[in-house]
Amino acid sequence: MEKLTAPQSVKYGSGNVVTLEKGKIPPQAVDLEEVVLGAMMIDKKGVDEIIDILHPDVFYKIAHQFIFEAIYKLFENTEAIDLLTVSNQLRKDGRLDKIGGEYYLIQLTQKVSSSAHIEFHARIILQKYIQRSLIKISNEIIEDSYDESTDVFDLLDAAESKLYEVTQGNIKRSTETAHSLVIQAKNRIQEISNREGLSGVPSGFDKLDKLTSGWQPSDLIIIAARPGMGKTALTLSMARNIAVGSNIPVAFFSLEMSAVQLITRLISSETGLSSEKLRTGNLETHEWEQLNVKVKDLEKAPLFIDDTPSLSIFDLRAKCRRLASQHGIKMVMIDYLQLMTAGSAVKGGGNREQEISTISRNLKALAKELNIPVIALSQLSRAVETRGGSKRPLLSDLRESGAIEQDADIVSFIYRPEYYKIEEWDDEERSPTANQGEFIVAKHRNGGLENIRLKFLGHLGKFDNLDDFDSPFEFHSKMNEAGGDDPFRGTPLPNPSADEAFGSSMNDFNDDEDNDVPF
């Protein structure tokens, strides 16, 4: 082959262009491609072993891409795969002559006698494809970097996104056939049936999980409330249920509270020791023992807390990609949306509504990219406070942007009537509201709507299933049986509000109606 002395370009795969410099050609393993395709035509076992590893674009030669596509179509239709059927399929596709005719197929089958080591060979082909993809991405980054009009943060985000796709071995495909999607759906339904109906990440709240079947992959969930309702307490309770109870990796991004403050809340919830005792460190000997024993599960939990202030959506996506790659996180929680910044994503400045719209849109894109649920907390406008009656939140109370409601798959609210000095629920039973909250599912793209009541334990900063403690007496009894700390033993169950039990800096802002932003 004549050595190249000047940079040239060559097309490979599906038409991607790779620059050749100093006599280099793109990484390839054409001989192994021939062996793999030959083995697939002589041994059905070989097809079963690698059909889900490879796809047409991984082959360097276009003729090999056509042959693999023909084999894949036969596999999809559960038809026999051999020299004759593959030849016939290529003829139907009008590609038989393009690959060199039946003679070329015969040559492939004569290069191998069995499908032994076919998976190993397929992995090498895939590695060569990844190397070619990295070369292509690098060339694109170089070209974009020379463009002075390109925003550097957009360039970094695009580069990291492309590299993440290669790392995951999940290069984007343009379309998927209905047949392939039906098979995936049937397999997922089978998995769900084996997990007692929960197809997503369980929240730990029984009635909520029954409504949602768990938080679903690629969903954006907005949990909104006024300050003092317990947004952080609820999401921390869920994070604890998911990471400690179900051993599912969770990433928690706190833009308001420090990581140590959050973990202290979790320790209070886990041990039953009041936040006041933990803040002062005034623990008795048995309480120290209780602390050391009961935090062991929390110490081992796959919970990752990031307390970077004023986090931009660009930084969040970069951090989440790394956590997904390194630790396999299955859920992301953000406390809270209005404290995030859009960074350079909003060109020419833009107002706050446009910025929130950009953040919301990017959070939904992140959920789809990582295929995990993303929960973002949000504040409600002051209209809730000025409204009469029960002051139960509405979708129109979402702050700053209608894009939040539009982008979210689930919009929910936290409502504690006792915060507004309302002592009875507005139902037929007129039951007391003390130590209770309501999780209101106001929008559910793939399910029903419901108002779910939960138990709120303010002195521990946690929410729990309402049915777990039917009365204050039962709460005291269970705490005593577990050896838990009950500083209120022999007295009515305490009823501190969320901001009394755990002070929130959100309450320090002047929440003006015209400029309803806490900074």
Side-chain angles (χ1 to χ4, degrees):
M1 182 180 68
E2 182 181 352
K3 184 174 181 180
L4 300 174
T5 56
Q8 297 186 25
S9 296
V10 64
K11 290 189 176 182
Y12 74 89
S14 56
N16 298 324
V17 178
V18 176
T19 301
L20 304 183
E21 296 181 359
K22 300 178 182 178
K24 295 181 179 179
I25 63 173
Q28 55 184 287
V30 175
D31 54 341
L32 291 180
E33 292 180 10
E34 294 173 348
V35 169
V36 165
L37 291 173
M40 294 177 79
M41 286 188 285
I42 67 171
D43 190 347
K44 184 181 182 300
K45 182 181 177 183
V47 177
D48 295 336
E49 286 189 22
I50 67 167
I51 197 69
D52 60 340
I53 297 176
L54 303 180
H55 54 88
D57 287 344
V58 306
F59 291 91
Y60 183 75
K61 287 186 66 173
I62 293 179
H64 293 169
Q65 293 181 26
F66 292 162
I67 295 170
F68 184 84
E69 285 182 11
I71 292 174
Y72 194 83
K73 287 180 181 178
L74 293 169
F75 178 82
E76 278 189 316
N77 296 325
T78 63
E79 297 180 14
I81 297 172
D82 55 35
L83 176 62
L84 295 178
T85 56
V86 173
S87 174
N88 187 53
Q89 183 63 49
L90 285 166
R91 188 178 289 106
K92 286 181 182 178
D93 298 337
R95 291 174 169 176
L96 185 59
D97 292 336
K98 293 179 181 179
I99 62 104
E102 293 180 348
Y103 177 72
Y104 187 71
L105 295 178
I106 294 171
Q107 281 186 311
L108 293 180
T109 58
Q110 290 178 342
K111 287 180 180 290
V112 63
S113 59
S114 73
S115 63
H117 313 302
I118 189 171
E119 183 177 351
F120 180 76
H121 296 155
R123 297 289 181 188
I124 295 176
I125 294 171
L126 187 60
Q127 288 171 19
K128 299 298 181 184
Y129 170 66
I130 292 173
Q131 287 177 280
R132 297 198 300 272
S133 299
L134 289 172
I135 293 171
K136 174 179 177 289
I137 291 169
S138 301
N139 286 333
E140 290 174 350
I141 294 171
I142 291 170
E143 290 296 321
D144 291 340
S145 298
Y146 279 111
D147 186 354
E148 294 293 339
S149 65
T150 303
D151 186 281
V152 66
F153 293 105
D154 290 343
L155 177 61
L156 284 169
D157 188 37
E160 186 167 35
S161 178
K162 291 175 182 177
L163 290 171
Y164 176 79
E165 290 168 7
V166 174
T167 302
Q168 297 301 102
N170 187 30
I171 305 302
K172 292 180 181 177
R173 301 179 186 179
S174 56
T175 57
E176 286 192 77
T177 65
H179 184 276
S180 172
L181 293 172
V182 167
I183 292 175
Q184 292 178 41
K186 286 169 64 178
N187 291 337
R188 182 163 177 78
I189 293 169
Q190 181 62 47
E191 290 177 9
I192 294 170
S193 67
N194 297 333
R195 287 158 47 184
E196 299 180 353
L198 284 184
S199 56
V201 178
S203 69
F205 300 123
D206 297 339
K207 291 184 178 178
L208 179 58
D209 287 337
K210 185 177 180 181
L211 177 68
T212 63
S213 296
W215 301 125
Q216 299 299 311
S218 79
D219 272 6
L220 173 61
I221 302 107
I222 298 295
I223 300 178
R226 289 294 296 157
M229 285 291 128
K231 294 191 294 294
T232 304
L234 180 72
T235 47
L236 274 180
S237 297
M238 279 197 285
R240 183 266 164 208
N241 295 339
I242 296 167
V244 179
S246 300
N247 198 38
I248 296 173
V250 179
F252 195 105
F253 292 88
S254 175
L255 287 82
E256 183 186 31
M257 298 178 64
S258 72
V260 174
Q261 287 176 317
L262 289 175
I263 207 69
T264 302
R265 280 196 178 198
L266 285 171
I267 290 172
S268 175
S269 171
E270 198 72 6
T271 62
L273 297 169
S274 68
S275 59
E276 183 179 356
K277 281 182 175 287
L278 295 176
R279 280 200 303 266
T280 60
N282 187 22
L283 304 180
E284 298 179 13
T285 303
H286 74 277
E287 291 173 332
W288 280 110
E289 293 176 356
Q290 180 177 324
L291 174 64
N292 292 329
V293 170
K294 292 197 172 183
V295 297
K296 288 183 178 179
D297 288 340
L298 184 59
E299 288 176 353
K300 296 182 292 184
L303 176 62
F304 306 92
I305 298 177
D306 187 302
D307 59 0
T308 305
S310 301
L311 188 67
S312 71
I313 188 64
F314 162 73
D315 290 332
L316 175 75
R317 290 176 66 175
K319 288 172 181 285
C320 288
R321 289 187 191 115
R322 283 193 288 271
L323 286 168
S325 177
Q326 296 172 9
H327 302 287
I329 58 169
K330 300 299 181 186
M331 185 153 203
V332 171
M333 297 181 176
I334 303 156
D335 182 12
Y336 59 97
L337 189 147
Q338 278 80 11
L339 289 180
M340 292 188 67
T341 63
S344 62
V346 179
K347 299 291 191 298
N351 57 33
R352 182 59 179 166
E353 183 174 341
Q354 290 175 327
E355 191 172 12
I356 291 295
S357 298
T358 300
I359 294 169
S360 173
R361 186 169 58 251
N362 276 273
L363 288 178
K364 176 59 180 176
L366 175 67
K368 290 186 68 177
E369 178 184 347
L370 300 184
N371 196 35
I372 61 175
V374 172
I375 290 181
L377 303 188
S378 178
Q379 286 197 24
L380 293 176
S381 71
R382 203 172 180 180
V384 178
E385 310 289 345
T386 59
R387 193 162 52 234
S390 66
K391 301 185 185 297
R392 187 176 269 107
L394 304 172
L395 283 171
S396 57
D397 296 324
L398 280 171
R399 229 151 95 161
E400 273 137 359
S401 175
I404 296 176
E405 178 185 349
Q406 178 181 332
D407 294 330
D409 297 278
I410 295 177
V411 178
S412 56
F413 304 114
I414 305 171
Y415 171 59
R416 291 195 303 111
E418 66 172 328
Y419 181 84
Y420 299 110
K421 312 301 180 186
I422 300 173
E423 297 181 354
E424 293 181 338
W425 289 101
D426 52 353
D427 54 14
E428 295 181 0
E429 292 80 10
R430 309 299 296 179
S431 54
T433 62
N435 305 301
Q436 291 185 17
E438 198 170 54
F439 189 87
I440 303 169
V441 180
K443 174 192 174 183
H444 191 183
R445 186 165 286 161
N446 300 306
L449 309 179
E450 193 173 336
N451 296 350
I452 299 167
R453 290 187 192 173
L454 301 171
K455 174 65 69 176
F456 177 66
L457 305 173
H459 66 297
L460 298 179
K462 69 179 288 189
F463 281 82
D464 212 331
N465 290 300
L466 183 61
D467 296 337
D468 285 1
F469 306 112
D470 294 329
S471 68
F473 175 77
E474 184 179 351
F475 171 78
H476 290 299
S477 300
K478 291 195 176 184
M479 290 288 285
N480 295 337
E481 290 172 7
D485 175 69
D486 185 2
F488 308 98
R489 189 179 294 115
T491 64
L493 192 65
N495 182 25
S497 66
D499 41 307
E500 290 171 343
F502 297 95
S504 172
S505 62
M506 284 191 291
N507 302 327
D508 298 335
F509 295 108
N510 181 17
D511 201 9
D512 188 69
E513 184 67 27
D514 295 328
N515 187 22
D516 207 13
V517 184
F519 40 81

